[in-house]
């Protein structure tokens, strides 16, 4: 029995965006979310009494303005605590390098590097425009004489043409190489090179010398076109985005049930028939949209037995190995970083002294070990948003790379050791910080996998690399949000364009469903 | 049985006997194994199959064992037929397809016992079979080298085998399986084959292969038993209308160019496809093809004259509409048969076409435009092929 036009599995931010658009198109939408709250990786959680933190994604860097507007998120309570933050590449001696917009300060940065960065940044923005265009619509089909798709291809081609011959050649060249080489071509300052290459590595299983890091960098810079001249921080943490989206969805008539894990997406003869909850409750429906990552969706929810072998092969080949952990600290006071102004403490703090340091950090994870000296992307959100902790106290939220899915012997024997490594590292930059720590929480890729229901625990629900983007995302045959199972669609980070708190996967998916299934 | 040198072809468990019998010393490479193209004389070998008994070493045939609680479910997802209809101790001919509904291979499924099956296939299939096992509680193992096999085919085959001590064999129905004791080792016999005649296939542990060969030829002597090679088999199978993977179609995983593979419908194998099964590889694509129409049609042609129409173009009103994939002058049916791939809508039963046959004598090429006609059924299909009990000729 069902009264719903659409059953949604998972209510991450992409799911919420998708549900909202489908509800606006006149459909009755039910969302089934395993977690206690909606939002998925866009969440705020109290990890120690009185101390809350964005429990997964911490910086808003690329939320699509189309999503902001169509969901009227500001009207539904979304507030920024800070915008256009600087990125500070920390130095142990306190001579930090600060990147604000396109301006570099400190650390004896040369005039040449400053000029080179302005030129580099302008060039990257031209490339990014092309990506942003492609990200705003479904990926073109690989081989099919479908008029609308060819139009997209032409548009994409047009974009490339507009670049001019030199730029086009340059894009085609650098996209196939790696951040290390590109940085070496352009800059001198070791910390500048490391800071920028980190943006190409974040959330990925890659070091500065890995291919695909240039794509990762450009992907992130798409945020500049969406109005983010540096990371932003939401009041109340990333969960505030989920709250605003939930409010917007409810206003549009979406029904959201949390704490209801879907155990299976049911199908018969290649047609989706509904979903069954872990509780045993069943919902029948001819249209199911999964916000869950593709591997979980196909392997565990649909089940390989209900798919053809070629699909199974494609799903098994998805590379979703993560190397990203999250560290949360409760602090009895504001830590003081050597040489850092109080104002900058609330910005993005990065530990990545040089590219070889970052490469060595990555080396470890290739062998399922954690870095002895990890790279870190640190936020002290309480500087801009004191409400997250008791008066005068603070929290730290940090992205830590690299940590394996599972080190030898399992995480139990390593959790404290890795936490100590990270705390010792912080101590080098902020002497005395260890003494301020009153509680800590380390979320390894395995923990993230469990908490957010994503196989592999990967930032993008599957690596963002040239073999897994655009019409190859998540794989050929499921690349336009529809899947080999009739009536089952994907709308999460695992589909085009990919992850990050952006919302375009969800929005594109909704548009595709409306186009294919017709107005309700 | 790997050769001392890795570049050497493998030999089968019967090799010592096969080599001794192979007077022509004419060998071929069958999927990595050295196998005789002929033993004495192709015509003689062919007539052994059709008039008395011929023996063929089919050990190189790819063999895969599928066991476990999900064996039936696994096979049902793999192949196009409904596996539950292949009862225990029965064999089923089938094809399997990729997701695009293109044939990967044809072969036979042996239902050996509860949750226990063997797949016999032309192409090396283990990679695809293992991928297909993801999500199923099954064990899939290659056993090509663990089982020696002989095909014993022809009107006196049953009598010869009974003379070897397989009593009661005459009661075995076509596509049935029976087990016998052979010198303390299990001998499996299936009433199957690739010649379209009364015939059996024998399956045994490699250690017993030579003994089996010796006893079979000793007991079969009065029934005029002879070994036959690839070429005689080729004549027999064309005569009876069996397609051959790698010849009449290219296994889909081996094709490189778009559109060169074939669906079961395009190979005349509609009867093997059960679209009522809810899930199997290629189902979606085959449903589409059903509604959209196929690109090609398989046809058995009766070609005028006695020049085999190998590699011929097939013409209609002077325009090319197809190609011949296999052809032979078939002595028993006294028909010049060709198996052909015709572009739709050609190939309806009775349609008259022309085969453009090229042949040369001393480098002098001649072209014959031979009229031909689409047959309704294979030209060789004797009642004894199905008769049970099998008659002692
Ligand atoms: C450590 C880490 C740090 C990150 N930091 C940032 C950052 O700073 N900035 C940024 O932009 N991005 C960041 N990201 C990436 C970003 O968080 C994700 O790409 C994005 O949130 C994914 O959104 P989604 O809606 O597609 O999927 P998700 O948020 O993963 O939503 C999927 C939802 O499905 C639910 N679900 C799963 N299984 C089931 C089931 N069986 N039944 C019902 N529901 C189910 C989950 O509970 C979840 O709510 C980070 C990612 C990680 C892992």
């Amino acid at each position: 029995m069902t009264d719903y036009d659409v059953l949604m599995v998972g209510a991450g931010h992409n799911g919420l965006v998708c549900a909202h658009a489908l509800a606006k198109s006149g459909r009755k939408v039910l969302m089934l979310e395993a977690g206690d709250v909606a939002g998925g990786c866009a969440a705020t959680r109290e990890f120690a009494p009185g101390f809350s933190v964005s429990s997964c994604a911490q910086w808003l860097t690329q939320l699509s303005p189309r999503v902001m507007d169509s969901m009227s998120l500001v009207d539904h309570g979304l507030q920024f605590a800070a915008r256009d933050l600087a990125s500070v590449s920390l130095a142990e001696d306190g001579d930090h390098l600060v990147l604000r917009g396109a301006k570099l300060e400190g650390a004896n940065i040369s005039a040449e590097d400053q000029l080179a960065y302005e030129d580099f940044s302008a060039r990257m923005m031209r490339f990014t425009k092309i990506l942003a265009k492609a990200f705003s619509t479904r990926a073109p089909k690989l081989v099919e004489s479908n008029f609308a798709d060819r139009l997209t291809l032409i548009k994409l081609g047009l974009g490339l043409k507009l670049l001019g011959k030199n730029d086009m050649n340059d894009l085609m060249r650098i996209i196939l190489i790696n951040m290390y080489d590109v940085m070496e071509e352009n800059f001198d300052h070791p910390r500048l090179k490391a800071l920028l290459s980190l943006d190409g590595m974040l959330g990925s299983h890659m070091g500065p010398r890995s291919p695909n890091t240039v794509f990762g960098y450009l992907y992130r810079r798409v945020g500049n076109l969406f109005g983010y001249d540096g990371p932003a921080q939401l009041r109340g943490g990333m969960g505030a985005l989920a709250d605003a989206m939930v409010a917007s969805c409810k206003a549009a008539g979406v029904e959201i049930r949390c704490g209801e894990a879907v155990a299976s997406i049911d199908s018969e003869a290649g047609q989706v028939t509904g979903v069954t909850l872990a509780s045993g409750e069943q919902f029948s429906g001819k249209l199911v949209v999964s916000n869950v990552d593709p591997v979980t969706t196909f392997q565990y929810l649909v089940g390989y037995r209900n798919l053809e072998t070629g699909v199974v092969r494609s799903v098994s080949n998805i590379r979703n190995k993560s190397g990203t952990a999250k560290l949360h600290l409760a602090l009895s006071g504001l830590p003081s970083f050597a040489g850092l102004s109080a104002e900058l403490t609330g910005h993005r703090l990065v530990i990545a002294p040089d590219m070889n340091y970052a490469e060595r950090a990555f080396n470890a994870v290739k062998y399922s070990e954690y870095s002895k000296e990890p790279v870190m992307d640190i936020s002290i959100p309480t500087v801009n948003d004191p409400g997250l902790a008791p008066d005068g106290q603070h929290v730290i939220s940090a992205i830590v790379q690299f940590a394996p899915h599972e080190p030898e012997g399992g995480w139990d024997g390593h959790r404290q050791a890795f936490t100590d490594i990270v705390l010792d590292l912080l101590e080098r930059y902020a002497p005395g910080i260890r003494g301020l720590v009153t509680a800590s929480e380390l979320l390894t890729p395995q923990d993230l996998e469990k908490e957010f229901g994503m196989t592999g625990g990967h930032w993008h629900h599957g690596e963002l690399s040239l073999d897994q983007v655009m019409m190859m995302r998540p794989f050929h045959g499921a690349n336009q949000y529809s899947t080999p199972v009739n009536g089952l669609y994907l709308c999460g980070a695992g589909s085009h364009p990919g992850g990050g708190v952006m919302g375009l996967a969800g929005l594109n998916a909704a548009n595709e469903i409306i186009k294919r299934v017709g107005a309700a | 049985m790997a050769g001392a040198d890795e570049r050497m072809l493998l030999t089968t468990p019967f090799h010592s006997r096969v080599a001794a019998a192979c007077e022509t010393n004419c060998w071929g490479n069958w999927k990595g194994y050295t196998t005789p193209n002929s033993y004495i004389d192709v015509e003689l070998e062919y007539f052994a199959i059709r008039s008395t008994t011929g023996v063929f070493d089919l050990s190189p045939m790819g063999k895969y064992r599928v066991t476990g609680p999900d064996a039936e479910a696994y096979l049902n997802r793999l192949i196009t037929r409904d596996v539950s209809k292949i009862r225990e101790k029965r064999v089923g001919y089938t094809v399997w397809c990729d997701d695009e509904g293109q044939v990967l291979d044809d072969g036979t499924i042996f239902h050996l016992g509860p949750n226990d099956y063997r797949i016999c296939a032309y192409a090396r299939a283990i990679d695809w079979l293992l991928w297909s096992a993801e999500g199923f509680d099954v064990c899939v193992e290659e056993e090509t080298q663990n089982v020696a096999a002989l095909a014993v085919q022809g009107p006196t085959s049953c009598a010869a085998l009974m003379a070897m001590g397989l009593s009661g064999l005459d009661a075995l129905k076509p596509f049935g399986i029976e087990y016998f004791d052979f010198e303390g080792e299990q001998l499996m016999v299936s009433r199957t084959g690739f010649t379209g005649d009364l015939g059996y296939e024998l399956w045994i542990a490699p250690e017993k292969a030579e003994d089996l060969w010796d006893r079979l030829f000793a007991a079969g002597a009065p029934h005029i038993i002879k070994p036959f090679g690839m070429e005689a088999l080729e004549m027999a199978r064309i005569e009876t209308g069996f397609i051959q993977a790698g010849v009449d179609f290219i296994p889909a995983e081996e094709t490189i160019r778009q559109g060169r593979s074939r669906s079961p419908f395009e190979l005349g194998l509609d009867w093997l496809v059960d679209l009522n099964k809810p899930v199997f590889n290629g189902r979606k694509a085959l449903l589409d093809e059903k509604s959209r129409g196929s690109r090609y049609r398989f046809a058995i042609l009766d070609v005028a004259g006695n020049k085999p129409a190998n590699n011929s173009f097939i013409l209609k009103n002077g325009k090319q509409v197809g190609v011949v994939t296999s052809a032979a002058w078939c002595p028993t049916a006294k028909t010049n048969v060709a198996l052909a791939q015709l572009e739709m809508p050609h190939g309806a039963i009775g349609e008259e076409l022309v085969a453009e046959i090229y042949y040369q004598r001393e480098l002098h090429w001649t072209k014959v435009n031979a009229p031909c006609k689409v047959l309704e059924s294979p030209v060789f299909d004797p009642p004894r092929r199905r008769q049970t009990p099998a008659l002692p000729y």
Side-chain angles (χ1 to χ4, degrees), chain A residues 11-14 16 37-45 53-58 60 63 234 236-243 245-246 452 454 500-502:
Chain A
H13 84 283
N14 274 314
L16 291 163
V37 291
C41 297
T44 304
R45 182 163 57 70
V53 75
S54 297
S55 56
C56 191
Q58 61 187 26
L60 199 65
L63 181 65
L234 292 176
M238 203 59 91
L241 176 69
D243 294 343
M245 286 186 166
V246 166
F452 299 102
M454 46 188 185
V501 180
M502 187 191 275

mmCIF file of all heavy atoms in Angstrom, chain A residues 11-14 16 37-45 53-58 60 63 234 236-243 245-246 452 454 500-502:
data_model
loop_
_atom_site.group_PDB
_atom_site.id
_atom_site.type_symbol
_atom_site.label_atom_id
_atom_site.label_comp_id
_atom_site.label_asym_id
_atom_site.label_seq_id
_atom_site.Cartn_x
_atom_site.Cartn_y
_atom_site.Cartn_z
ATOM 1 N N ALA A 11 18.282 10.861 3.433
ATOM 2 C CA ALA A 11 17.960 12.288 3.399
ATOM 3 C C ALA A 11 19.201 13.106 3.674
ATOM 4 O O ALA A 11 19.257 13.915 4.595
ATOM 5 C CB ALA A 11 16.847 12.614 4.392
ATOM 6 N N GLY A 12 20.260 12.873 2.900
ATOM 7 C CA GLY A 12 21.425 13.750 2.914
ATOM 8 C C GLY A 12 21.041 15.043 2.216
ATOM 9 O O GLY A 12 19.911 15.186 1.739
ATOM 10 N N HIS A 13 21.969 15.988 2.134
ATOM 11 C CA HIS A 13 21.570 17.283 1.558
ATOM 12 C C HIS A 13 21.136 17.122 0.105
ATOM 13 O O HIS A 13 20.194 17.769 -0.330
ATOM 14 C CB HIS A 13 22.679 18.323 1.730
ATOM 15 C CG HIS A 13 23.736 18.289 0.681
ATOM 16 N ND1 HIS A 13 24.730 17.340 0.649
ATOM 17 C CD2 HIS A 13 23.934 19.082 -0.411
ATOM 18 C CE1 HIS A 13 25.499 17.558 -0.401
ATOM 19 N NE2 HIS A 13 25.044 18.607 -1.060
ATOM 20 N N ASN A 14 21.809 16.229 -0.636
ATOM 21 C CA ASN A 14 21.393 16.026 -2.029
ATOM 22 C C ASN A 14 19.989 15.434 -2.114
ATOM 23 O O ASN A 14 19.204 15.802 -2.993
ATOM 24 C CB ASN A 14 22.392 15.121 -2.757
ATOM 25 C CG ASN A 14 23.563 15.900 -3.332
ATOM 26 O OD1 ASN A 14 23.358 16.949 -3.949
ATOM 27 N ND2 ASN A 14 24.769 15.403 -3.117
ATOM 28 N N LEU A 16 17.641 15.871 0.046
ATOM 29 C CA LEU A 16 16.691 16.927 0.416
ATOM 30 C C LEU A 16 16.447 17.877 -0.757
ATOM 31 O O LEU A 16 15.310 18.256 -1.043
ATOM 32 C CB LEU A 16 17.203 17.688 1.645
ATOM 33 C CG LEU A 16 17.201 16.861 2.954
ATOM 34 C CD1 LEU A 16 18.078 17.518 4.016
ATOM 35 C CD2 LEU A 16 15.778 16.669 3.487
ATOM 36 N N VAL A 37 18.708 12.196 12.425
ATOM 37 C CA VAL A 37 18.322 13.463 11.814
ATOM 38 C C VAL A 37 18.631 13.400 10.331
ATOM 39 O O VAL A 37 19.422 12.578 9.884
ATOM 40 C CB VAL A 37 19.093 14.667 12.423
ATOM 41 C CG1 VAL A 37 18.661 14.924 13.854
ATOM 42 C CG2 VAL A 37 20.592 14.425 12.336
ATOM 43 N N ALA A 38 17.982 14.300 9.586
ATOM 44 C CA ALA A 38 18.267 14.379 8.161
ATOM 45 C C ALA A 38 19.532 15.197 7.950
ATOM 46 O O ALA A 38 19.979 15.913 8.853
ATOM 47 C CB ALA A 38 17.083 15.017 7.443
ATOM 48 N N GLY A 39 20.095 15.099 6.762
ATOM 49 C CA GLY A 39 21.267 15.912 6.426
ATOM 50 C C GLY A 39 22.474 15.095 6.030
ATOM 51 O O GLY A 39 23.351 15.577 5.325
ATOM 52 N N GLY A 40 22.544 13.858 6.506
ATOM 53 C CA GLY A 40 23.680 13.001 6.149
ATOM 54 C C GLY A 40 24.976 13.631 6.614
ATOM 55 O O GLY A 40 25.121 13.985 7.795
ATOM 56 N N CYS A 41 25.904 13.810 5.684
ATOM 57 C CA CYS A 41 27.216 14.378 6.014
ATOM 58 C C CYS A 41 27.139 15.866 6.295
ATOM 59 O O CYS A 41 28.132 16.474 6.673
ATOM 60 C CB CYS A 41 28.197 14.126 4.884
ATOM 61 S SG CYS A 41 28.517 12.385 4.607
ATOM 62 N N ALA A 42 25.998 16.478 6.047
ATOM 63 C CA ALA A 42 25.801 17.879 6.445
ATOM 64 C C ALA A 42 25.099 17.837 7.797
ATOM 65 O O ALA A 42 23.877 17.828 7.881
ATOM 66 C CB ALA A 42 24.964 18.614 5.411
ATOM 67 N N ALA A 43 25.897 17.785 8.861
ATOM 68 C CA ALA A 43 25.321 17.530 10.182
ATOM 69 C C ALA A 43 26.093 18.256 11.273
ATOM 70 O O ALA A 43 27.286 18.522 11.142
ATOM 71 C CB ALA A 43 25.336 16.031 10.464
ATOM 72 N N THR A 44 25.384 18.578 12.311
ATOM 73 C CA THR A 44 26.030 19.092 13.526
ATOM 74 C C THR A 44 25.687 18.110 14.640
ATOM 75 O O THR A 44 24.554 17.639 14.712
ATOM 76 C CB THR A 44 25.494 20.488 13.892
ATOM 77 O OG1 THR A 44 25.690 21.350 12.767
ATOM 78 C CG2 THR A 44 26.222 21.055 15.109
ATOM 79 N N ARG A 45 26.669 17.787 15.444
ATOM 80 C CA ARG A 45 26.416 16.794 16.481
ATOM 81 C C ARG A 45 27.146 17.186 17.760
ATOM 82 O O ARG A 45 28.267 17.695 17.720
ATOM 83 C CB ARG A 45 26.880 15.425 15.988
ATOM 84 C CG ARG A 45 26.633 14.280 16.940
ATOM 85 C CD ARG A 45 26.719 12.915 16.235
ATOM 86 N NE ARG A 45 27.980 12.645 15.551
ATOM 87 C CZ ARG A 45 29.133 12.414 16.163
ATOM 88 N NH1 ARG A 45 29.223 12.449 17.482
ATOM 89 N NH2 ARG A 45 30.220 12.175 15.465
ATOM 90 N N VAL A 53 29.756 20.155 16.992
ATOM 91 C CA VAL A 53 30.683 20.348 15.885
ATOM 92 C C VAL A 53 30.022 19.836 14.605
ATOM 93 O O VAL A 53 29.113 19.000 14.658
ATOM 94 C CB VAL A 53 31.995 19.585 16.200
ATOM 95 C CG1 VAL A 53 31.817 18.100 16.028
ATOM 96 C CG2 VAL A 53 33.152 20.097 15.381
ATOM 97 N N SER A 54 30.446 20.372 13.483
ATOM 98 C CA SER A 54 30.001 19.812 12.201
ATOM 99 C C SER A 54 30.619 18.424 12.125
ATOM 100 O O SER A 54 31.831 18.290 12.026
ATOM 101 C CB SER A 54 30.497 20.665 11.033
ATOM 102 O OG SER A 54 29.951 21.958 11.103
ATOM 103 N N SER A 55 29.790 17.402 12.162
ATOM 104 C CA SER A 55 30.363 16.073 12.402
ATOM 105 C C SER A 55 30.968 15.445 11.164
ATOM 106 O O SER A 55 31.632 14.428 11.252
ATOM 107 C CB SER A 55 29.311 15.147 13.012
ATOM 108 O OG SER A 55 28.190 15.090 12.176
ATOM 109 N N CYS A 56 30.750 16.049 10.013
ATOM 110 C CA CYS A 56 31.435 15.546 8.812
ATOM 111 C C CYS A 56 31.961 16.743 8.029
ATOM 112 O O CYS A 56 33.037 17.236 8.317
ATOM 113 C CB CYS A 56 30.504 14.671 8.002
ATOM 114 S SG CYS A 56 31.347 13.760 6.705
ATOM 115 N N ALA A 57 31.188 17.235 7.059
ATOM 116 C CA ALA A 57 31.646 18.401 6.295
ATOM 117 C C ALA A 57 31.700 19.609 7.217
ATOM 118 O O ALA A 57 30.791 19.830 8.012
ATOM 119 C CB ALA A 57 30.703 18.661 5.127
ATOM 120 N N GLN A 58 32.783 20.409 7.119
ATOM 121 C CA GLN A 58 32.922 21.547 8.027
ATOM 122 C C GLN A 58 32.883 22.896 7.321
ATOM 123 O O GLN A 58 32.446 23.876 7.893
ATOM 124 C CB GLN A 58 34.207 21.412 8.848
ATOM 125 C CG GLN A 58 35.487 21.381 8.004
ATOM 126 C CD GLN A 58 36.717 21.078 8.843
ATOM 127 O OE1 GLN A 58 36.619 20.450 9.897
ATOM 128 N NE2 GLN A 58 37.874 21.533 8.392
ATOM 129 N N LEU A 60 31.628 25.282 4.114
ATOM 130 C CA LEU A 60 30.769 25.417 2.954
ATOM 131 C C LEU A 60 31.589 26.171 1.909
ATOM 132 O O LEU A 60 31.971 27.315 2.127
ATOM 133 C CB LEU A 60 29.508 26.199 3.332
ATOM 134 C CG LEU A 60 28.329 26.044 2.384
ATOM 135 C CD1 LEU A 60 27.805 24.617 2.392
ATOM 136 C CD2 LEU A 60 27.210 27.012 2.759
ATOM 137 N N LEU A 63 28.263 25.510 -2.252
ATOM 138 C CA LEU A 63 26.821 25.264 -2.347
ATOM 139 C C LEU A 63 26.261 26.068 -3.528
ATOM 140 O O LEU A 63 26.482 27.270 -3.626
ATOM 141 C CB LEU A 63 26.124 25.671 -1.043
ATOM 142 C CG LEU A 63 24.612 25.429 -1.026
ATOM 143 C CD1 LEU A 63 24.283 23.945 -1.096
ATOM 144 C CD2 LEU A 63 23.967 26.047 0.208
ATOM 145 N N LEU A 234 28.711 28.020 8.604
ATOM 146 C CA LEU A 234 27.296 28.262 8.889
ATOM 147 C C LEU A 234 27.078 28.409 10.388
ATOM 148 O O LEU A 234 27.734 27.737 11.197
ATOM 149 C CB LEU A 234 26.451 27.103 8.360
ATOM 150 C CG LEU A 234 26.398 26.986 6.836
ATOM 151 C CD1 LEU A 234 25.615 25.745 6.431
ATOM 152 C CD2 LEU A 234 25.785 28.234 6.220
ATOM 153 N N GLY A 236 25.665 27.525 13.636
ATOM 154 C CA GLY A 236 25.087 26.266 14.100
ATOM 155 C C GLY A 236 25.729 25.051 13.430
ATOM 156 O O GLY A 236 25.289 23.920 13.627
ATOM 157 N N GLY A 237 26.764 25.308 12.646
ATOM 158 C CA GLY A 237 27.450 24.190 11.995
ATOM 159 C C GLY A 237 26.709 23.722 10.748
ATOM 160 O O GLY A 237 25.667 24.264 10.384
ATOM 161 N N MET A 238 27.270 22.705 10.095
ATOM 162 C CA MET A 238 26.716 22.260 8.818
ATOM 163 C C MET A 238 25.305 21.700 8.976
ATOM 164 O O MET A 238 24.524 21.651 8.028
ATOM 165 C CB MET A 238 27.649 21.219 8.185
ATOM 166 C CG MET A 238 27.519 21.094 6.696
ATOM 167 S SD MET A 238 27.860 22.625 5.798
ATOM 168 C CE MET A 238 29.605 22.463 5.498
ATOM 169 N N GLY A 239 24.989 21.277 10.192
ATOM 170 C CA GLY A 239 23.631 20.773 10.440
ATOM 171 C C GLY A 239 22.573 21.844 10.217
ATOM 172 O O GLY A 239 21.411 21.540 9.944
ATOM 173 N N ALA A 240 23.003 23.112 10.308
ATOM 174 C CA ALA A 240 22.052 24.200 10.089
ATOM 175 C C ALA A 240 21.549 24.182 8.645
ATOM 176 O O ALA A 240 20.403 24.561 8.376
ATOM 177 C CB ALA A 240 22.710 25.531 10.407
ATOM 178 N N LEU A 241 22.419 23.742 7.752
ATOM 179 C CA LEU A 241 21.988 23.642 6.352
ATOM 180 C C LEU A 241 20.898 22.579 6.241
ATOM 181 O O LEU A 241 19.864 22.769 5.586
ATOM 182 C CB LEU A 241 23.173 23.271 5.452
ATOM 183 C CG LEU A 241 22.814 23.036 3.989
ATOM 184 C CD1 LEU A 241 22.406 24.335 3.312
ATOM 185 C CD2 LEU A 241 23.982 22.402 3.233
ATOM 186 N N ALA A 242 21.158 21.436 6.913
ATOM 187 C CA ALA A 242 20.165 20.359 6.894
ATOM 188 C C ALA A 242 18.846 20.863 7.478
ATOM 189 O O ALA A 242 17.774 20.626 6.911
ATOM 190 C CB ALA A 242 20.681 19.163 7.681
ATOM 191 N N ASP A 243 18.923 21.613 8.585
ATOM 192 C CA ASP A 243 17.691 22.110 9.221
ATOM 193 C C ASP A 243 16.903 23.005 8.257
ATOM 194 O O ASP A 243 15.688 22.871 8.128
ATOM 195 C CB ASP A 243 18.027 22.900 10.492
ATOM 196 C CG ASP A 243 18.623 21.994 11.569
ATOM 197 O OD1 ASP A 243 18.465 20.759 11.448
ATOM 198 O OD2 ASP A 243 19.250 22.514 12.518
ATOM 199 N N MET A 245 17.071 23.029 5.029
ATOM 200 C CA MET A 245 16.566 22.223 3.914
ATOM 201 C C MET A 245 15.350 21.406 4.336
ATOM 202 O O MET A 245 14.394 21.250 3.576
ATOM 203 C CB MET A 245 17.669 21.304 3.378
ATOM 204 C CG MET A 245 18.714 22.043 2.569
ATOM 205 S SD MET A 245 19.896 20.886 1.818
ATOM 206 C CE MET A 245 20.693 21.986 0.628
ATOM 207 N N VAL A 246 15.420 20.877 5.543
ATOM 208 C CA VAL A 246 14.283 20.105 6.054
ATOM 209 C C VAL A 246 13.055 21.008 6.144
ATOM 210 O O VAL A 246 11.952 20.646 5.710
ATOM 211 C CB VAL A 246 14.609 19.485 7.430
ATOM 212 C CG1 VAL A 246 13.347 18.987 8.124
ATOM 213 C CG2 VAL A 246 15.614 18.331 7.271
ATOM 214 N N PHE A 452 27.465 7.339 8.519
ATOM 215 C CA PHE A 452 26.716 7.968 7.434
ATOM 216 C C PHE A 452 26.255 6.973 6.368
ATOM 217 O O PHE A 452 25.739 7.364 5.325
ATOM 218 C CB PHE A 452 27.535 9.102 6.824
ATOM 219 C CG PHE A 452 27.855 10.177 7.828
ATOM 220 C CD1 PHE A 452 29.107 10.261 8.419
ATOM 221 C CD2 PHE A 452 26.876 11.077 8.228
ATOM 222 C CE1 PHE A 452 29.388 11.234 9.373
ATOM 223 C CE2 PHE A 452 27.143 12.052 9.179
ATOM 224 C CZ PHE A 452 28.400 12.129 9.759
ATOM 225 N N MET A 454 27.836 5.062 4.254
ATOM 226 C CA MET A 454 28.441 5.095 2.918
ATOM 227 C C MET A 454 29.605 4.125 2.849
ATOM 228 O O MET A 454 30.577 4.277 3.579
ATOM 229 C CB MET A 454 28.855 6.512 2.527
ATOM 230 C CG MET A 454 29.593 7.280 3.602
ATOM 231 S SD MET A 454 29.810 8.992 3.068
ATOM 232 C CE MET A 454 30.826 9.630 4.395
ATOM 233 N N GLY A 500 30.830 16.845 -1.992
ATOM 234 C CA GLY A 500 30.945 18.175 -1.432
ATOM 235 C C GLY A 500 29.541 18.697 -1.223
ATOM 236 O O GLY A 500 28.595 18.211 -1.845
ATOM 237 N N VAL A 501 29.420 19.656 -0.322
ATOM 238 C CA VAL A 501 28.085 20.192 -0.068
ATOM 239 C C VAL A 501 27.791 21.207 -1.165
ATOM 240 O O VAL A 501 28.171 22.363 -1.076
ATOM 241 C CB VAL A 501 28.008 20.805 1.336
ATOM 242 C CG1 VAL A 501 26.612 21.349 1.581
ATOM 243 C CG2 VAL A 501 28.360 19.745 2.384
ATOM 244 N N MET A 502 27.176 20.718 -2.230
ATOM 245 C CA MET A 502 26.981 21.494 -3.443
ATOM 246 C C MET A 502 25.513 21.463 -3.870
ATOM 247 O O MET A 502 24.951 22.439 -4.328
ATOM 248 C CB MET A 502 27.866 20.903 -4.543
ATOM 249 C CG MET A 502 27.906 21.695 -5.838
ATOM 250 S SD MET A 502 28.712 20.771 -7.161
ATOM 251 C CE MET A 502 30.405 21.115 -6.889
#
